[in-house]
């Protein structure tokens, strides 16, 4: 169940990162075993950051764009060499377009209706957002009706609550402010990455 393309189902979200910072932070994430790196499109000069990350780490990690709202953005990501997109909402036209361009789509949703709309449009993965508003019980209820697709929880997920979501049926998590905040030192990113990876590994049988 919940097949996904990532070796480690923890999507590192580097919201607000700048091009001159991106390589150092992605380096420590890759060194810690993270292979899904999302740079949201509301970050400064995101095309430069994603392009440089793809060139430096595209053979070792999935580099993708987040907060994708327009088909033109999906096209730009394809040209940059990105391999997946993360949306904050369920937009069937955008999902269909991104899938047609060869991208993996992690579609944002909150309700079963939104989840099924995203899947019908071709999304390969789902993102429950904001997870902290709904909690693990919501994930468990969703799993009762959803097909066995990858389901990531995003928003307010830290290492102390990760196990509860995984036990409820989530595949993994997207981790943003709990992992990276703009301007923070690289060693803090590394320490946070280690804590999340350890929390994930402790749940494995």
């Amino acid at each position: 169940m919940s097949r996904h393309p990532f070796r480690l189902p923890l999507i590192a979200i580097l919201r607000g990162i700048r091009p001159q910072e991106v390589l150092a932070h992605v380096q420590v994430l890759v060194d810690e075993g993270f292979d899904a790196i999302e740079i949201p499109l509301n970050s400064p000069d995101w095309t430069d950051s994603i392009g440089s990350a793809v060139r430096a780490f595209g053979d070792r990690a999935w580099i993708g764009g987040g907060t994708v709202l327009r088909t033109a953005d999906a096209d730009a990501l394809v040209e940059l060499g990105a391999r997946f997109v993360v949306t904050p909402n369920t937009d069937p036209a955008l999902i269909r377009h991104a899938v047609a361009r060869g991208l993996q789509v992690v579609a944002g949703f909150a309700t079963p209706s939104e989840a099924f709309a995203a899947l019908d449009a071709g999304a390969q993965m789902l993102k429950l957002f904001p997870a902290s508003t709904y909690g693990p019980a919501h994930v468990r209820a969703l799993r009762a009706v959803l097909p066995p697709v990858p389901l990531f929880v995003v928003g307010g997920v830290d290492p102390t609550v990760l196990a509860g979501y995984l036990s409820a049926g989530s595949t993994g998590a997207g981790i943003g402010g709990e992992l990276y905040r703009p301007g923070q030192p690289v060693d803090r990113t590394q320490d946070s990455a280690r804590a999340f990876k350890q929390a994930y590994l402790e749940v494995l049988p």
Side-chain angles (χ1 to χ4, degrees):
M1 186 175 78
S2 302
R3 294 182 62 186
H4 58 85
F6 313 129
R7 292 187 301 274
L8 180 67
L10 298 175
I11 301 172
I13 304 169
L14 301 178
R15 187 179 304 279
I17 199 162
R18 298 180 181 277
Q20 62 268 31
E21 303 165 324
V22 69
L23 294 183
H25 288 271
V26 175
Q27 179 72 66
V28 297
L29 288 167
V30 170
D31 288 346
E32 292 300 326
F34 283 68
D35 66 319
I37 313 294
E38 171 194 340
I39 297 174
L41 272 53
N42 54 3
S43 303
D45 301 315
W46 61 267
T47 55
D48 291 344
S49 290
I50 290 176
S52 62
V54 168
R55 288 189 295 273
F57 301 102
D59 60 340
R60 287 178 281 170
W62 288 67
I63 309 297
T67 318
V68 177
L69 295 168
R70 304 180 304 154
T71 56
D73 293 331
D75 292 334
L77 287 165
V78 170
E79 296 304 315
L80 290 167
R83 298 170 68 186
F84 72 99
V85 299
V86 183
T87 69
N89 60 357
T90 302
D91 181 343
L94 171 61
I95 294 168
R96 283 192 291 268
H97 182 83
V99 171
R101 293 302 313 270
L103 293 163
Q104 293 274 317
V105 176
V106 186
F109 82 102
T111 68
S113 294
E114 292 171 348
F116 280 108
L119 295 173
D120 287 345
Q124 302 95 335
M125 294 172 271
L126 296 171
K127 178 188 87 169
L128 175 63
F129 177 85
S132 59
T133 302
Y134 297 98
H138 191 66
V139 174
R140 188 173 292 106
L142 288 166
R143 276 299 188 203
V145 296
L146 291 177
V149 297
L151 191 163
F152 294 86
V153 291
V154 182
V157 179
D158 64 35
T160 68
V161 301
L162 181 60
Y165 285 105
L166 295 173
S167 298
S170 68
T171 305
I175 45 180
E178 301 80 19
L179 173 74
Y180 172 82
R181 293 187 182 277
Q184 77 179 27
V186 173
D187 59 354
R188 185 177 301 171
T189 300
Q190 185 172 42
D191 290 344
S192 297
R194 285 176 177 169
F196 272 102
K197 182 179 179 181
Q198 183 61 34
Y200 173 76
L201 293 176
E202 286 175 357
V203 180
L204 295 183

